[in-house]
Amino acid sequence: MARCADPVVPGVVRWVESAGGPLIAVPEAVLPFWAGADGDETSSDYDRACDVAGHAGLLPVGDTRALVLGDESAATAYLPEHGLFVRRRPSGPEDPSGPDGRLLAEVPAVLDDAVWAPALEWRVPGPLVLFDAARPGHAATATGHVRVELTPGRYGVSAAYVPTGPWAGLRLVRVGAPAA
């Protein structure tokens, strides 16, 4: 089983970015099975991730599934207090918000306005690693990743988009208790 030695600084939110494609949250237990853009096949794991439609989808990896955060490249952070991946929509040069405290301060208020897509059911075997889907799993923890502490269990995953200004918006992906 792969382990990540991720320095966690209380109160500091870590953002992950991709080189242009989707991000993926792979359970640590199956990181070695994610080949990213590597491979001799006609369709790589990265190609499969790019084919996931919408803001979020699940993709088989090993004997479980990983969460693909798709649609477009966006700086992404995980906020454990909300069980939420927050994705900053790419913005123009006039956008003053950026991935800082002001942007994150908007999250609790926009949760009430979010219109959530129907939830997907996801069985999670334990902690996840969020990284650029183009990278192979064995190299995922070298740079540009976030470790997400989830206890094994069944979760509901749903996505929403909330505009926060003329040049900004948040894509939200909630990972929480499954819908009854």
Side-chain angles (χ1 to χ4, degrees):
M1 178 184 202
R3 299 307 281 162
C4 304
D6 224 2
V8 176
V9 180
V12 174
V13 175
R14 294 187 54 203
W15 293 84
V16 177
E17 296 189 45
S18 78
L23 294 174
I24 189 162
V26 177
E28 274 185 340
V30 295
L31 270 177
F33 297 105
W34 182 258
D38 294 349
D40 298 327
E41 300 176 21
T42 55
S43 179
S44 68
D45 283 344
Y46 177 73
D47 293 328
R48 293 187 313 130
C50 289
D51 288 342
V52 170
H55 301 301
L58 299 173
L59 193 63
V61 178
D63 62 354
T64 189
R65 296 186 295 172
L67 175 63
V68 177
L69 302 176
D71 199 33
E72 62 185 38
S73 177
T76 302
Y78 182 72
L79 304 179
E81 65 274 20
H82 298 290
L84 195 67
F85 289 98
V86 176
R87 310 195 74 213
R88 183 178 54 90
R89 180 177 152 208
S91 55
E94 301 87 10
D95 181 4
S97 61
D100 62 11
R102 283 178 295 149
L103 179 85
L104 294 174
E106 295 177 18
V107 170
V110 302
L111 288 176
D112 292 335
D113 296 331
V115 177
W116 298 96
L120 305 169
E121 185 178 311
W122 186 24
R123 292 194 183 276
V124 177
L128 313 171
V129 179
L130 176 69
F131 60 99
D132 186 336
R135 301 188 73 186
H138 66 82
T141 59
T143 60
H145 73 284
V146 168
R147 186 168 191 263
V148 176
E149 290 288 341
L150 289 182
T151 57
R154 207 176 80 184
Y155 292 85
V157 176
S158 58
Y161 174 76
V162 181
T164 58
W167 297 288
L170 296 174
R171 295 189 190 290
L172 308 172
V173 178
R174 181 172 53 192
V175 178

